[in-house]
Amino acid sequence: MSIVSDALKRGQQAIILVPEISLTPQMTRRFFDRFGDSVAVIHSALSLGERLDEWRRIKRKDARVIIGARSAIFAPCENIGVIIIDEEHEQSYKSESSPRYHARDIAHFLSKLHSCPLVLGSATPSVESYYKAKCGEYTLIELLERYNKKPLPEVFLADMSQELKDGNKTVLSRLLASQMALNLERGEQTILFLNRRGYSTFVSCRDCGFVFTCPQCSVSLTYHKNSDVLKCHYCGHSEKVNPVCPKCGSNKVRDFGKGTQKAQEQIGEIFPDAKLLRMDTDTTSTKRGHEKLLDKFTEEKTDILLGTQMVTKGLDFENVTLVGVLAADASLNIDDFRAQERTFNLITQVCGRAGRGEKKGRAVLQTYDADNNVLKLAAKQDYKSFYEEEIEYRRAFYYPPFCDIINITVSSSSKEDAENAVKKIAMKLKMALRTYENCVFYGPSASPLSKIQGRHRYRFWIKCSVDEVLIATLRDVLHEKDTRRAGDLSIIADINPYSMS
């Protein structure tokens, strides 16, 4: 706020980016208190009319403090004095749909254009940004303790394998349940994090193993108990639950896995007198849904807030003294070289929601892999040790920041067209880039999510060092007329994507 104030005194504007819409109510409230009507808010939850009004206020310079999600970086500012990116490590700053950009890259370009500082803030910086800071490309400024000098929360690991052996099949370990009971006695609040929405992650036949899948996408359908339907979270397809297996005719159709709806139900059974709120896409889809829910949690002193990734970062509640991570290892074993970094960041960030006021904080991480070193380092909130291990892994296997990755995905309603096209493009690029040093090709092969919204998907990716000449070569090959000859063929090239699926 001091940096922003200095920019305003010089007659300039300031841009502040936050990764999630859910963070904007708390952030904007504080800025409105200090800067009044000179604050403008831009994010996708606004109507087109509201966005246009804010856009015009910024253009007229009536609003000089701009707060919002990644699209706010394109606000029509003519004289920027500072750009601040809060939680700069967050993958939501990378647009995974066209136009594909990273807000951090746009901010870097604008900071040079306006000769203004760019401040990247995070308790868990992205590996790429921290590497640049260590190399001197960025200036590293460290906060070695919390701003209010309060200690970080004490973190405990709960071994769910042992819980299962001891007959505990609920969503809560005995350790977490006892800590929650203690919070209820004291009148203190608890945040629980589970990064799976819905009731169950899939529905299957116990006799033959048949799994109900989306007819348009290569994913299992998620069961939503409130509406008693199976839903696809990729294309929106929904269908009623069939109590009879369509493959073998058995009536032993059961749901498996735990989403936020099932967790809410079980927690309600364990603590029937507790007031509990659930925060996920299903409960915040209405206008100002995030703001209303967070206001309710604050004003009504709700005992428990259960949510997906929305509750892991940026939220600041003085009376929250306990955080529970219900499935700490859920994001570890996925097909993505950033899996360890993402898991460490998520856990460290959500643990940081506890003990932000006068009372000491605690956190419980529930896991089936209690010996995992990433989880142990996250429990200690030891970012530097994690970074040292992660950067050596990246160096050894030639991953960013030591290279760039270009992911090329080809999709079509015809599986044959998509497969033929990706092979042709891969062959042309291998020829065109054969003189480039350290240019490594992988694939082509079917994408991990081989079908989305009825379109078959194939991919290949390249590890290389991106420069303007390479980009021009890539553009020439992908825009050749015969490359796109098939009717509904789609070709997407994404540089340093955050999703490899």
Side-chain angles (χ1 to χ4, degrees):
M1 284 190 173
S2 297
I3 296 171
V4 170
S5 185
D6 289 342
L8 298 189
K9 287 174 185 174
R10 295 192 299 269
Q12 297 175 302
Q13 291 172 298
I15 297 176
I16 301 101
L17 300 188
V18 294
E20 296 271 359
I21 295 171
S22 61
L23 300 185
T24 50
Q26 282 195 332
M27 180 78 81
T28 52
R29 198 170 294 131
R30 288 169 181 168
F31 274 84
F32 273 119
D33 288 344
R34 180 156 177 176
F35 300 109
D37 292 337
S38 64
V39 176
V41 181
I42 296 179
H43 55 68
S44 59
L46 299 177
S47 67
L48 289 176
E50 288 170 329
R51 259 185 275 186
L52 180 60
D53 289 342
E54 295 293 76
W55 189 268
R56 285 172 171 163
R57 289 180 63 230
I58 298 166
K59 188 75 175 170
R60 293 194 305 263
K61 299 186 179 64
D62 293 342
R64 296 196 293 147
V65 180
I66 298 91
I67 301 174
R70 67 171 178 249
S71 61
I73 196 64
F74 296 110
C77 299
E78 295 177 7
N79 186 10
I80 303 174
V82 65
I83 303 171
I84 300 170
I85 302 184
D86 190 34
E87 312 288 13
E88 70 84 28
H89 64 277
E90 276 296 325
Q91 67 184 69
S92 54
Y93 286 124
K94 175 75 164 72
S95 172
E96 297 291 345
S97 58
S98 187
R100 286 169 171 77
Y101 67 93
H102 199 301
R104 188 175 58 219
D105 296 335
I106 306 297
H108 195 258
F109 172 82
L110 288 175
S111 72
K112 286 186 175 180
L113 186 68
H114 292 264
S115 300
C116 71
L118 166 62
V119 181
L120 307 177
S122 176
T124 55
S126 64
V127 169
E128 290 89 340
S129 290
Y130 197 69
Y131 179 76
K132 288 180 178 180
K134 297 288 279 185
C135 293
E137 188 174 336
Y138 294 169
T139 301
L140 179 62
I141 302 169
E142 294 183 279
L143 299 177
L144 301 177
E145 55 186 18
R146 281 180 164 181
Y147 79 96
N148 57 5
K149 302 192 185 302
K150 298 300 177 187
L152 288 168
E154 188 176 4
V155 183
F156 306 92
L157 285 172
D159 188 346
M160 297 305 286
S161 298
Q162 189 60 48
E163 294 282 329
L164 204 57
K165 289 175 185 175
D166 294 341
N168 180 11
K169 296 181 181 179
T170 69
V171 72
L172 300 178
S173 62
R174 288 165 297 182
L175 174 61
L176 180 53
S178 66
Q179 291 295 315
M180 289 173 67
L182 186 62
N183 258 30
L184 290 170
E185 285 176 23
R186 294 173 174 173
E188 297 170 3
Q189 293 171 293
T190 300
I191 289 179
L192 300 177
F193 166 55
L194 176 62
N195 211 20
R196 297 183 190 128
R197 68 185 176 102
Y199 188 81
S200 299
T201 47
F202 68 98
V203 174
S204 174
C205 172
R206 283 191 171 180
D207 280 347
C208 71
F210 174 83
V211 175
F212 288 83
T213 56
C214 176
Q216 298 296 316
C217 308
S218 56
V219 295
S220 59
L221 294 168
T222 302
Y223 178 49
H224 289 249
K225 191 176 183 181
N226 292 354
S227 51
D228 194 32
V229 295
L230 295 167
K231 286 185 182 179
C232 174
H233 292 164
Y234 285 88
C235 72
H237 168 83
S238 66
E239 60 185 61
K240 280 288 183 184
V241 180
N242 188 347
V244 178
C245 175
K247 184 178 180 182
C248 71
S250 167
N251 61 359
K252 293 182 180 178
V253 173
R254 302 288 186 271
D255 57 89
F256 295 86
K258 294 181 177 70
T260 48
Q261 287 182 13
K262 183 181 278 190
Q264 181 182 24
E265 184 181 276
Q266 291 189 358
I267 293 163
E269 292 170 356
I270 297 168
F271 300 108
D273 297 326
K275 290 186 288 184
L276 190 152
L277 285 174
R278 192 179 91 238
M279 190 174 185
D280 55 27
T281 308
D282 299 319
T283 61
T284 58
S285 56
T286 58
K287 190 173 179 64
R288 293 181 61 243
H290 299 85
E291 188 174 352
K292 290 174 184 175
L293 203 148
L294 292 174
D295 285 346
K296 190 173 182 180
F297 181 66
T298 307
E299 293 164 9
E300 298 182 12
K301 293 287 187 268
T302 306
D303 300 309
I304 303 164
L305 176 63
L306 165 69
T308 54
Q309 199 165 321
M310 298 174 185
V311 303
T312 62
K313 48 195 171 283
L315 302 180
D316 190 3
F317 300 107
E318 284 192 4
N319 199 39
V320 171
T321 56
L322 175 64
V323 162
V325 182
L326 302 187
D329 44 20
S331 57
L332 266 179
N333 302 307
I334 58 174
D335 178 23
D336 192 331
F337 73 91
R338 289 192 178 92
Q340 296 189 147
E341 178 185 12
R342 200 166 291 157
T343 300
F344 179 89
N345 291 350
L346 267 175
I347 291 172
T348 305
Q349 292 286 337
V350 73
C351 288
R353 300 312 102 207
R356 298 178 73 83
E358 294 300 316
K359 302 166 187 172
K360 190 177 179 182
R362 300 106 62 215
V364 177
L365 311 182
Q366 296 185 168
T367 174
Y368 286 94
D369 188 8
D371 292 327
N372 188 285
N373 199 45
V374 173
L375 300 183
K376 287 181 177 179
L377 291 173
K380 294 177 185 175
Q381 301 186 61
D382 185 355
Y383 175 80
K384 289 184 178 178
S385 295
F386 168 77
Y387 169 81
E388 292 301 332
E389 285 193 8
E390 183 69 11
I391 201 70
E392 288 309 312
Y393 154 71
R394 300 278 186 97
R395 194 192 312 272
F397 290 96
Y398 191 46
Y399 278 120
F402 302 103
C403 75
D404 295 299
I405 290 179
I406 302 175
N407 188 49
I408 297 172
T409 304
V410 179
S411 67
S412 172
S413 56
S414 163
K415 185 176 180 181
E416 185 180 1
D417 285 351
E419 188 173 9
N420 289 340
V422 78
K423 288 177 180 176
K424 188 183 295 184
I425 293 168
M427 183 177 67
K428 287 182 177 179
L429 278 173
K430 284 178 181 177
M431 288 295 294
L433 301 176
R434 64 187 181 278
T435 58
Y436 272 77
E437 293 183 10
N438 299 324
C439 206
V440 185
F441 287 79
Y442 297 85
S445 61
S447 297
L449 287 173
S450 59
K451 189 180 176 186
I452 294 180
Q453 296 184 349
R455 297 181 65 82
H456 299 272
R457 306 170 74 244
Y458 285 81
R459 71 162 186 186
F460 70 96
W461 45 291
I462 310 166
K463 286 181 183 176
C464 57
S465 293
V466 169
D467 56 29
E468 290 183 11
V469 176
L470 188 145
I471 292 294
T473 304
L474 182 68
R475 188 179 288 120
D476 289 344
V477 170
L478 296 185
H479 285 78
E480 285 180 5
K481 286 184 179 179
D482 66 328
T483 300
R484 296 178 179 269
R485 190 167 291 167
D488 68 343
L489 202 69
S490 168
I491 304 167
I492 294 170
D494 197 1
I495 298 174
N496 293 324
Y498 272 52
S499 172
M500 302 296 288
S501 57

